[in-house]
Amino acid sequence: MAIPVSNSNGSHQREVNDLATLRAAHRGEGLALNQRHMNRQLGRVLQTLGFDREWVRGEGPYLIDSGGERYLDLYAGYGVFGLGRNHPFVKAQLHELIDSDPPSLPQLGVSTLAGLLAQRLVELAPDSIDAAVLTSSGTESVEGALKLARAATGRTRILYCRRGFHGLTYGSLSVNGNEECRERFGPFLPGCDPIPFGDLDALAAELRRGDVAAFIVEPVQGKGVYPAPEGYLRGAQELCREAGALLVLDEVQTGLGRTGRFLALEHWGVAPDMITLSKALSGGYVPVGALLASRAVFNATFDSMERSVVHGSTFGGNDFAAGAGLASLMAIENERLVDRARELGDLLMELTRPLQERFEIVHAVRGLGLMWGIELGPPSGRAGRRVWETFERRQPGLAAQMVTVPLFREHHILTQVAGHHMNVIKALPPLTIPEEEIRRFAAALETVIADVESGLLRGYASLGLNLGRRLLFAR
Ligand code: PMP
């Protein structure tokens, strides 16, 4: 098939039929194409913030733009790039796999690679886990957890946490604790009720009704970067067991070494009934996820030959996804990346926690391993507080943007704001990040925060309002 190549005003030029030529012919057109055929509002956000680079390559922890500039990517594709981009070992394994013409997706048949991935994941999970459903995304893993929980308990109610995030399809959205994600999409799955994160009394009160199928929770909430308080997950496990409800830990973001343990649940010795995984399991190459479950929960859904395909999806467990998953697990093990995440996470915390004492606007620094966040808040003085409140009224979360924008533009470091209207800046460094880049990030952050704080009573107000105006205007 030949694809016509047109120039930017749409007039026809020539036809090409290979990807390399097609890409070369359209260099620099990514944003224009997005604005023509895809998410225009996203394009406007990128332009407003000045994040509209043309990315031409990815290498380890770096994104490289068309001018050859390297940007340290601490956004890491929402955590997909735990191994960094285009990891040489995973790449070589996938080359080999593609060249071997594997018998992927026989459907009425099984795949050895899928079985091996399931086996390895079960081995790496707590003893409570015995089976896996392979999926193609985080939200698909969560959807499976909700279905299996209902089937296993014969109950319908699902508890979830405020601020919790589990994906954007209907089941996951029904247990999403962020109103801005749900707005205009209701009604949702009946029987899904929010409780405050970290509050065992609230959980116990809901469980007491005796109708709860499952409680789903992230070990570290991605929105705002809130690690579970000490004792919370163990307490939740006990309460759920007593009430006959299942505990589902969503490790889509925290899993695969991110927090300094292979699974974050290991920090507290929790043994849930189900675990959801995805993101970094892909090696950054092939979408893949997994729902891990106890045998009892699994068997309650798949309990007869008739019901053998009652849950699943066409692409789940395909050979390329399973191969990417297995190769990623090998790389994590061979390069001791779980230990690395713990050591570098400790270093990042050691370097950044003092910012809390050094700056009035730094209200908290928190995280676990290489899942890290810094929360900004108003300065203590009355005048500074008034300026802060003025621009926060105009654009909540603007202070965080005041940090992420110069980090990107001046220091070439890509970070994210950790949630809608939140003044939390978040970093998910690849576990392969060089130590000196952690140090560079901490130093750059300090410089930027010092600028923001010292400018608060001078140019900052107008700078903030300008950015706020641009953001408001861009709606
Ligand atoms: N659960 C958690 C904890 C997540 O962080 C995410 C994605 N950010 C999801 C589920 C949904 O994953 P996906 O985008 O692959 O559907």
Side-chain angles (χ1 to χ4, degrees):
M1 183 185 72
I3 296 181
V5 177
S6 39
N7 61 19
S8 45
N9 64 21
S11 68
H12 179 75
Q13 277 187 321
R14 66 198 166 98
E15 293 189 341
V16 298
N17 58 7
D18 71 272
L19 283 180
T21 316
L22 191 67
R23 273 176 84 193
H26 289 279
R27 251 188 114 109
E29 291 178 25
L31 190 63
L33 285 165
N34 177 80
Q35 297 310 82
R36 210 173 304 140
H37 303 296
M38 297 171 72
N39 186 340
R40 288 183 186 166
Q41 300 300 346
L42 174 66
R44 295 175 76 197
V45 169
L46 298 178
Q47 284 174 310
T48 305
L49 295 176
F51 282 39
D52 51 338
R53 294 292 183 281
E54 187 203 356
W55 301 118
V56 295
R57 238 163 56 74
E59 189 185 304
Y62 306 106
L63 273 168
I64 298 154
D65 75 7
S66 50
E69 290 294 323
R70 291 157 86 83
Y71 288 71
L72 180 64
D73 176 18
L74 305 184
Y75 212 119
Y78 296 128
V80 161
F81 297 103
L83 291 173
R85 285 168 193 269
N86 303 314
H87 189 283
F89 173 78
V90 181
K91 178 160 70 176
Q93 295 299 303
L94 287 175
H95 270 300
E96 223 165 81
L97 184 59
I98 288 179
D99 289 342
S100 76
D101 299 329
S104 196
L105 297 172
Q107 307 299 12
L108 196 58
V110 293
S111 151
T112 304
L113 276 172
L116 287 169
L117 178 60
Q119 173 176 270
R120 192 67 192 124
L121 289 173
V122 166
E123 277 168 9
L124 290 166
D127 290 345
S128 54
I129 297 297
D130 186 53
V133 179
L134 297 182
T135 71
S136 306
S137 68
T139 199
E140 197 190 323
S141 304
V142 170
E143 295 286 341
L146 303 182
K147 286 176 68 180
L148 265 60
R150 284 184 165 180
T153 59
R155 301 173 177 179
T156 55
R157 220 146 72 88
I158 311 281
L159 302 178
Y160 65 95
C161 287
R162 296 195 196 284
R163 233 178 19 225
F165 189 94
H166 305 286
L168 295 177
T169 52
Y170 263 106
S172 304
L173 199 52
S174 302
V175 295
N176 187 313
N178 304 277
E179 204 38 54
E180 72 280 3
C181 299
R182 299 159 63 99
E183 222 173 85
R184 299 193 221 168
F185 295 122
F188 301 102
L189 210 57
C192 297
D193 294 312
I195 52 175
F197 181 65
D199 185 341
L200 285 176
D201 292 339
L203 176 62
E206 292 294 339
L207 288 170
R208 230 170 274 133
R209 286 167 50 178
D211 57 355
V212 173
F215 170 47
I216 182 164
V217 60
E218 299 153 273
V220 182
Q221 287 196 311
K223 297 279 180 197
V225 193
Y226 288 93
E230 205 47 55
Y232 178 56
L233 294 178
R234 279 297 282 267
Q237 176 177 304
E238 274 163 39
L239 290 173
C240 285
R241 288 215 174 129
E242 279 164 23
L246 303 175
L247 177 65
V248 182
L249 287 192
D250 184 346
E251 295 247 17
V252 165
Q253 193 163 140
T254 53
L256 284 296
R258 164 67 51 202
T259 70
R261 299 287 163 108
F262 179 71
L263 295 174
L265 57 83
E266 294 165 32
H267 287 283
W268 305 280
V270 189
D273 303 282
M274 285 187 268
I275 301 168
T276 52
L277 295 172
S278 189
K279 294 198 192 275
L281 189 60
S282 65
Y285 278 101
V286 189
V288 61
L291 167 62
L292 307 181
S294 69
R295 182 48 68 181
V297 167
F298 193 89
N299 286 358
T301 290
F302 300 98
D303 61 352
S304 66
M305 282 198 280
E306 247 186 11
R307 288 178 59 84
S308 65
V309 289
V310 75
H311 177 74
S313 63
T314 303
F315 285 110
N318 77 79
D319 281 345
F320 300 103
L326 283 163
S328 301
L329 293 174
M330 288 175 199
I332 288 170
E333 209 163 313
N334 293 343
E335 296 174 28
R336 290 186 50 253
L337 293 182
V338 179
D339 291 340
R340 207 154 186 284
R342 187 163 53 241
E343 289 152 17
L344 291 180
D346 287 349
L347 174 67
L348 181 56
M349 198 48 84
E350 191 184 303
L351 294 170
T352 53
R353 194 159 262 156
L355 300 182
Q356 223 171 307
E357 278 82 61
R358 222 164 288 158
F359 300 105
E360 290 181 29
I361 60 168
V362 175
H363 284 207
V365 182
R366 56 179 175 256
L368 199 59
L370 284 176
M371 190 165 174
W372 172 98
I374 188 165
E375 180 164 351
L376 306 182
S380 48
R382 273 217 2 238
R385 184 175 283 267
R386 208 171 319 122
V387 177
W388 172 282
E389 281 162 6
T390 306
F391 62 70
E392 274 299 305
R393 247 197 319 275
R394 287 218 176 197
Q395 178 66 47
L398 184 62
Q401 297 288 17
M402 304 289 300
V403 173
T404 59
V405 170
L407 270 179
F408 182 76
R409 289 197 194 162
E410 288 154 33
H411 299 273
H412 289 187
I413 299 174
L414 181 57
T415 53
Q416 71 179 108
V417 176
H420 192 65
H421 291 180
M422 276 187 190
N423 272 314
V424 180
I425 299 127
K426 174 173 171 183
L428 294 173
L431 316 190
T432 52
I433 188 173
E435 182 182 320
E436 63 267 24
E437 289 291 39
I438 290 282
R439 293 184 185 279
R440 186 169 77 85
F441 168 54
L445 185 73
E446 179 161 2
T447 307
V448 170
I449 290 178
D451 278 354
V452 170
E453 181 157 302
S454 74
L456 193 60
L457 295 177
R458 297 178 283 115
Y460 182 37
S462 64
L463 183 60
L465 290 176
N466 278 341
L467 184 57
R469 219 173 283 134
R470 273 157 65 197
L471 284 167
L472 289 171
F473 197 63
R475 271 182 189 159

